[in-house]
């Protein structure tokens, strides 16, 4: 997903002729369900999560991973254009993608989730967005984010939330 984010607007479903995902072989033991039949299986499918990202679905939101989304013709067609290969030289936090567009251009990118994003504001923005997706409408996300941001300045945590 991070590699696809690095590619920006190039990594869109309508622009993808083929996507190759390159990961450490050990990851295939956990997340290599090739053709998921359910939303839960999609969570453990590199191919499906990459398709979700290219379809601009919110991969941080647990509700995205539902059976109806997995059964759509759009996802079924796109997943056929995605392959997963391995590279022993990668660590478990690293991945590469190679996107071939419908015009034949090839774009490659690398990501290492084991290294923090240098841009602290971008990192905070992404964390906040993920929190909002996970929290949904169950709690007041903005209230919680404000409280969490001020946590280190509070004299005591008890009674803060």
């Amino acid at each position: 997903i991070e590699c696809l984010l690095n590619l920006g607007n190039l990594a869109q479903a309508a622009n993808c002729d083929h996507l190759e995902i390159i990961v450490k072989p050990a990851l295939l033991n956990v997340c290599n369900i090739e053709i998921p039949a359910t939303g839960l299986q999609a969570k453990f499918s590199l191919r499906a999560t990459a398709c979700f990202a290219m379809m601009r679905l919110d991969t941080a939101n647990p509700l995205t991973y539902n059976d109806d989304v997995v059964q759509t013709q759009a996802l079924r067609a796109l997943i056929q254009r995605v392959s997963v290969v391995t590279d022993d030289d990668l660590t478990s936090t690293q991945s590469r993608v190679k996107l071939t567009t419908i015009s034949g251009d090839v774009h490659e990118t690398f990501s290492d989730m084991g290294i923090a994003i240098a841009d602290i504001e971008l990192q905070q923005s992404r964390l906040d967005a993920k929190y909002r997706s996970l929290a949904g409408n169950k709690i007041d996300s903005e209230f919680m984010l404000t409280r969490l941001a001020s946590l280190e300045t509070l004299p005591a945590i008890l009674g803060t939330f």
Side-chain angles (χ1 to χ4, degrees):
I1 294 172
E2 199 66 27
C3 283
L4 293 170
L5 289 174
N6 291 345
L7 290 174
N9 288 330
L10 292 171
Q12 292 187 45
N15 194 37
C16 176
D17 180 64
H18 185 261
L19 179 72
E20 182 178 84
I21 304 168
I22 304 109
V23 295
K24 184 172 186 66
L27 292 180
L28 300 187
N29 295 329
V30 176
C31 52
N32 195 36
I33 297 176
E34 291 190 25
I35 308 290
T38 67
L40 181 59
Q41 287 181 350
K43 284 179 117 173
F44 299 94
S45 170
L46 290 168
R47 294 171 76 197
T49 55
C51 290
F52 283 14
M54 287 191 292
M55 294 169 73
R56 300 302 191 250
L57 299 176
D58 184 357
T59 57
N61 186 337
L63 298 176
T64 299
Y65 299 90
N66 70 69
D67 297 355
D68 291 337
V69 171
V70 171
Q71 298 301 323
T72 63
Q73 184 58 36
L75 180 71
R76 293 282 184 209
L78 185 57
I79 208 166
Q80 297 300 320
R81 301 194 311 256
V82 179
S83 61
V84 178
V85 297
T86 61
D87 181 343
D88 287 319
D89 292 332
L90 293 175
T91 69
S92 60
T93 61
Q94 297 175 330
S95 61
R96 290 193 320 267
V97 297
K98 182 169 129 179
L99 172 69
T100 304
T101 65
I102 55 174
S103 64
D105 296 330
V106 177
H107 304 274
E108 296 185 53
T109 187
F110 169 84
S111 177
D112 187 343
M113 295 303 295
I115 298 173
I117 300 170
D119 182 338
I120 298 299
E121 288 181 17
L122 175 61
Q123 184 177 21
Q124 187 63 53
S125 172
R126 287 186 177 178
L127 285 171
D128 290 353
K130 184 167 187 170
Y131 177 81
R132 285 184 188 96
S133 289
L134 289 170
N137 61 1
K138 295 180 176 129
I139 62 171
D140 184 347
S141 299
E142 298 312 310
F143 171 79
M144 289 299 289
L145 286 170
T146 300
R147 291 294 195 176
L148 290 169
S150 66
L151 205 57
E152 62 190 28
T153 64
L154 298 173
I157 295 175
L158 192 59
T160 301
F161 297 97

